[in-house]
Amino acid sequence: MNQPPGQDGGDSQPTAPPPPSTETLPERTVNQSAVALRADQVEFDARQVGALALISPGLQQAPRAQLAVFFHYCVRSGLDPFARQIYMIGRKNKGEDREDNPVNWTIQTGIDGFRTIAHRAAERTGERISYEDTVYYDADGGAHDVWLAPVPPAAVKVTVLRGASRFPFIARWSEFAPEYWDAKQSKYVVAKMWRQMGSHMLRKCAEAGSLRMAAPQDLSGVYVDEEMAQADAEVVAGASEEATRRLREAAGLETGEARSDAVQPSKDTATEEKQPRPRKRTPARPKNEPGEPTAGDKPAPHRPRATGKKTATAARKPSATS
């Protein structure tokens, strides 16, 4: 039986799918983002500054020179500011130059960003970053490999190794733990995260200091969030103090020149117990001179006795015998 041309006997096999089209959509990269840093940039543009202000409020008011410094740090470290790997935060300046420079700007990053920068710096020189065991110290100076006490450690020591060099750094609790003024308790209290994970937060500060020593060219001028927590606490206390002062001025409780230091006591005076007020002593009564009668010996004044009604009436009637 003759078959049409192009058909063979037996079971017919399925036809192969058509070859894929050579026209493919271009892959989208991060460099095509509207806010990503470009290779031809020398500073942030207006759109990028607006996006950074969402991460760090108030950044739009930063001077152009300060933004240029921040841009330089981003390029040098290779960290992405829009991915919250590195950012710049402004704090109220309380120094003598606060009139000329009202805000201090600090470049900060997380501990992971610190590690990334340090490892990259070591790789450029053919070295590697490693660590010695962390040492925790109690208030008496005793060393511990693991901290299990319910109270925070007094200090933490972290040692970073870069090649054959050692870079130890000790972070003390009194130097880094942030304290806030609690109006309800009328005393300074440690921040919540530091109360819950004190040893972990203090270890981050020690590691950041050790990494900065190991890679000073790349990490100088950059700080982790935990290192600046105490500065944030001072800013919050200052803002609360200023708000309290304005409320007292509006209520007429103090003049505009009066400072609100009396509203929020210092750490030294807040811990002191209130001393009881001394009792007022009654002055002693003067002694009487000899021969002078005392108050008890003085005779009572004579008061005339009222005459009864019946007696007075009888006195007016004449006698029957008269």
Side-chain angles (χ1 to χ4, degrees), residues 50 54 122 153 234 240 315:
L54 299 177
E234 294 177 358
S240 176

Side-chain angles (χ1 to χ4, degrees), residues 56-197:
S56 300
L59 192 67
Q60 291 177 327
Q61 283 72 35
R64 185 175 181 180
Q66 190 65 49
L67 290 173
V69 173
F70 182 42
F71 181 85
H72 173 73
Y73 271 97
C74 295
V75 174
R76 190 183 69 173
S77 63
L79 299 179
D80 188 359
F82 304 101
R84 300 177 184 268
Q85 295 178 349
I86 186 172
Y87 36 89
M88 187 171 66
I89 297 179
R91 296 178 177 85
K92 186 177 180 180
N93 185 11
K94 294 185 177 180
E96 297 179 355
D97 60 337
R98 55 181 176 271
E99 295 183 359
D100 300 331
N101 185 25
V103 179
N104 283 333
W105 296 94
T106 306
I107 300 175
Q108 295 181 208
T109 181
I111 191 62
D112 293 332
F114 249 59
R115 294 166 182 164
T116 301
I117 297 174
H119 281 279
R120 288 177 181 173
E123 290 175 357
R124 289 197 301 265
T125 59
E127 298 171 321
R128 59 187 299 267
I129 296 291
S130 58
Y131 296 82
E132 291 183 358
D133 293 339
T134 303
V135 182
Y136 301 88
Y137 295 94
D138 54 31
D140 298 329
H144 305 268
D145 295 335
V146 180
W147 190 257
L148 301 177
V151 296
V156 177
K157 177 182 178 181
V158 173
T159 303
V160 171
L161 306 176
R162 179 175 178 178
S165 303
R166 298 177 67 256
F167 301 95
F169 188 90
I170 298 178
R172 299 177 57 188
W173 176 266
S174 59
E175 297 174 349
F176 290 96
E179 294 184 350
Y180 296 85
W181 174 256
D182 191 344
K184 295 182 179 180
Q185 303 182 28
S186 298
K187 66 177 182 179
Y188 282 90
V189 297
V190 181
K192 182 178 180 181
M193 290 297 296
W194 284 75
R195 292 197 306 266
Q196 296 177 349
M197 301 185 298

